[in-house]
Each structure stands twice: as structure tokens, then as C-alpha cells.
Amino acid sequence: MFAAFTLNGVLLSMWVVHIPAITDRAGVPASTLSVLVLLMAGAALVGMRLAGPAADRFGSRALVAMAASAISVTVLGPGLATDAVTLAIALVCFGLGMGALDVSMNTQAVHVERAYGRPIMSAFHAMFSAGAFAGSLLGAAAQHAGWPTQLTLLCAGIGGLGITAALVPHLLGQSRPGSASHSEHYGTDDVRTRDSTGQKATIEPSQRASEATKLRPSGAEPADSARLGTDPRSERQRTRKVFSLGCIAFVLLLAEGVAADWSALQVREHLDTSEASAALAFGAFSATMTFGRFIADRISAAIGPVAMVRYGSLLAAAGFAVVIASPGLPITLLGWALCGLGLAGGVPQIFSTAGNLGGTTAATDMSRVFTIGYLGLLAGPAMIGWLTAVIPLTAALTVPLVLTLACAATAKVVSR
């Protein structure tokens, strides 16, 4: 699964670092490019919504294989585009694959996390960040060597197909983490334990069901996933939970989008620095976010997902406050670093909770949370852009500050 997340980051960054060359070849101006990027984002949302039910029905392993293969093939498309129309078609195809891979690999990651026995979701997301960084370096190196864009993207696609073929056999077969028992993660029908002599003993499914009946209080109904999925009250509770998780994801991804897209410009405008100094802001943010994701799982295991989201949101809000009030570059960079560290672990916890709601629609639940959260990633930078027409950019950062405080106050939604 680490390979799947890394591959996703690498191939996405391959498109990003070649945007100037691709737009020059296609003759696409900046105004048209912004529309095409939104079109790609819309296609990714469609891919997410389609991937959830598909993963529930056919299994996340099959969908990871299909989606990873799809983006490995379609990453070449933008490099072959010769005008705005062909570039639009290429980006729609690439976006559909990216959205489907996002949902399917996170669904599989929830499955792996449960089998692993402790939090590991943040580490997967850290590998996506590491993959994006590695991809940007590879793309820059290829450009420096004078490689044609098409050749670089072709090599990236071939490498992606090879990695996909290698990783798929190692994925877990059980596709519904919300409904799988621990034994199902390994494809077994029995549960192995130890008898009084310390030897391994096997409890057959019928015996396990009998024991469960004995342990269940008199009159209690069996808490099976199918029953929970068909009970109207349970379904309403699930819908509210999914929507609440989506709202928290919306806020955190909105703040992440604002930091990623506006940090450098904020430093340059607020402190009147050079472009090189301004670029350090995004560097500070992305570096601490990547580091935070590598350590977030151990912290989450110690304090729980609710505290992880609450204190992470408070740390991010403190970072935005520091940025707004800062009189100089070092303190501003500290503020953006705090934002990255605070936002690092929250979203993986939300996705993990969404994938563990139980029932037979875990991937569908996750796709809904993904869709709502991804809208925040798109809306955040746009919202700040609109606000800068009436107030300074630094003042507009009060929006993510207030929203992250609200996220901290409602972090209990992430409880398992």
C-alpha cells in the first residue's frame, strides 16, 4: 500500500511539473488552463463517487489495480495534447483515474490498518507527499536533461504499470473493511487461538457463532453488518456521521489548500520579500506536514483520533494566528510550519473513521467523505482569492483560522 500512495503522488507531480511545457505545446493561455484544472478536479470528484460503490461491490484490491493502471496510462495524455480540446479530454481521463485511486487505495488502507492492529493511515498519506516530492525532482531532472515531455511521461507511465503489477498481488483480498472480521483480513474462515496447553486450536465458524450467542445478553439482536445496513434508524445515523466527517474534512482540506496555494504570495505581499524568500513559506509548510504525517500514527495510537484532530486543529489555528500577526520572515515561517504540523494528521484520521463505520458500504461512505472534503480543497483557495478583492490577503487568513477553531470544537465527530 505504501507503493500505491507513492505512485499516486509521483504521477500527479509529473503532470504538475510539466504544466508549462504542456500548455505551451497545446497553446493554452493561463485563463483557459484554470478552467481545465477545474474540469480535471470535477472529473476526480466523479471518479470518487463512482469508486465507492464499485469498491464495495468488486473489492478495493481490484479497483486499486484498475485505477492505478488507468492513471499510469492516462498520465501520457496531457503530453500528447495539441489544443485545448484534446488537453481537456486528457485531463478528464486522468482526473477520473486519480479520483478512483484516491478512494480505492484509502479503502484498502483502512483494511490494512485494521489487520495491522494500530494506526497507520497517516504514514500512507506521508508516502503520497514523499511521492509527490520525488516526482517533482524526477520531473525537474528530466527537464534539465532536455528530455521531451512525452518521453518523460511515457517512462513514468510504464514505471507506474510495472509498480502496479508488482503491488496488486500483495494487497488484501477482503474489500469491505467495515464488515470484515479480523480473520477475514487474511482470507480465513476460522479463528485460531490457543488452548489451555498453549497449543494452537481452531474455533470453527459454527462454534464461534454459538459462543457469540452465549455471550449476547438475553433478547439482544445480533449486531451484524447487514442488519445495521438495513435498519432505517441506523442508516440515518450513518448518513449524519458521514456528513459530519465530510464537514470536518472540508474544513481541514480548505485550510490545507489555502496554505499550499497562498503561503508564498502572502509572505511576498505582507513582508515585501523576494520571491526566493517567499518560496520558503510553502517549503516550511510542506516539510512539517510530511514530517507530521510520519509521526501522526504513533501520536494517534497514544491519544486517540479525537484528540489528534482537536489538538492538531488548534495547532493549525495557532499557526494562522502567528502568520497574521507576524512582523518578520522568521516568525512567519514558524507560523506556516505550525500550520503544516497541525494539519498533518487530521484528515487521515477522518478517512480511517469513515472506513470503520461498519456495514457493507465502507468504500461508499469514504467516497462521500472524500467528495465533501475535496470540495474544501478546491473552495479554500478560491474563497481567499475572492476575499482579496476587498481585504488584504493576510486579513483573509482569518477565515481558515476561525474554521480550524470550529473544527477543534467539533472534533468529537471523529470518535470511533
Side-chain angles (χ1 to χ4, degrees):
M1 278 313 299
F2 284 121
F5 279 80
T6 305
L7 176 63
N8 195 3
V10 168
L11 293 182
L12 179 60
S13 66
M14 280 295 176
W15 143 250
V16 171
V17 299
H18 287 95
I19 285 177
I22 290 171
T23 53
D24 286 346
R25 171 183 167 84
V28 174
S31 57
T32 304
L33 177 63
S34 63
V35 176
L36 295 179
V37 170
L38 285 176
L39 186 64
M40 175 182 166
L45 290 175
V46 174
M48 291 175 187
R49 294 295 290 121
L50 295 175
D56 284 327
R57 181 172 182 179
F58 302 109
S60 59
R61 178 167 64 181
L63 202 60
V64 167
M66 293 174 59
S69 299
I71 65 169
S72 297
V73 171
T74 57
V75 71
L76 177 60
L80 299 177
T82 56
D83 54 31
V85 175
T86 53
L87 183 56
I89 295 172
L91 290 179
V92 165
C93 294
F94 188 59
L96 285 169
M98 291 295 295
L101 183 58
D102 272 339
V103 170
S104 58
M105 71 182 185
N106 274 279
T107 302
Q108 176 75 193
V110 170
H111 191 124
V112 173
E113 183 179 55
R114 179 177 292 153
Y116 196 66
R118 68 175 179 84
I120 195 175
M121 182 66 81
S122 294
F124 288 131
H125 285 251
M127 293 307 297
F128 172 84
S129 299
F133 179 69
S136 65
L137 292 181
L138 290 173
Q143 289 176 325
H144 181 72
W147 284 25
T149 300
Q150 295 88 343
L151 177 60
T152 304
L153 296 180
L154 176 62
C155 291
I158 293 173
L161 289 173
I163 291 172
T164 301
L167 72 88
V168 169
H170 300 285
L171 300 181
L172 298 182
Q174 170 54 249
S175 63
R176 295 185 293 275
S179 62
S181 68
H182 182 75
S183 63
E184 286 173 322
H185 289 303
Y186 299 96
T188 60
D189 256 351
D190 54 21
V191 175
R192 296 193 179 274
T193 183
R194 293 184 182 273
D195 60 20
S196 58
T197 64
Q199 299 298 315
K200 287 186 177 180
T202 298
I203 301 177
E204 297 298 334
S206 58
Q207 183 181 352
R208 186 166 71 244
S210 175
E211 292 299 323
T213 303
K214 293 177 183 178
L215 292 173
R216 190 167 61 247
S218 178
E221 292 293 329
D224 63 294
S225 299
R227 184 179 299 278
L228 289 175
T230 57
D231 177 39
R233 184 173 62 180
S234 175
E235 191 62 31
R236 287 194 298 270
Q237 292 173 344
R238 176 193 297 278
T239 300
R240 286 196 296 268
K241 182 78 168 181
V242 167
F243 179 74
S244 299
L245 290 171
C247 289
I248 297 290
F250 180 93
V251 169
L252 293 181
L253 286 172
L254 181 149
E256 182 178 333
V258 168
D261 288 6
W262 291 101
S263 55
L265 186 60
Q266 184 274 332
V267 170
R268 191 178 68 180
E269 289 189 358
H270 183 58
L271 301 177
D272 193 26
T273 66
S274 65
E275 291 186 359
S277 296
L280 294 175
F282 177 67
F285 170 79
S286 58
T288 55
M289 171 164 277
T290 302
F291 171 75
R293 283 178 171 169
F294 276 117
I295 65 172
D297 290 319
R298 294 189 179 277
I299 297 175
S300 176
I303 66 177
V306 174
M308 186 74 187
V309 172
R310 176 176 292 125
Y311 296 124
S313 299
L314 289 174
L315 186 60
F320 281 115
V322 169
V323 169
I324 293 171
S326 171
L329 181 61
I331 297 178
T332 300
L333 295 181
L334 173 63
W336 286 118
L338 291 176
C339 287
L341 196 60
L343 294 171
V347 171
Q349 299 306 314
I350 294 169
F351 291 159
S352 183
T353 299
N356 281 289
L357 293 181
T360 59
T361 59
T364 301
D365 295 335
M366 185 175 289
S367 72
R368 291 169 179 166
V369 174
F370 252 98
T371 302
I372 299 173
Y374 195 73
L375 287 173
L377 191 65
L378 298 176
M383 181 188 302
I384 298 301
W386 297 332
L387 287 176
T388 57
V390 292
I391 60 175
L393 173 56
T394 301
L397 296 181
T398 55
V399 172
L401 190 159
V402 171
L403 289 177
T404 48
L405 287 174
C407 183
T410 57
K412 192 175 180 179
V413 169
V414 190
S415 61
R416 303 287 166 83

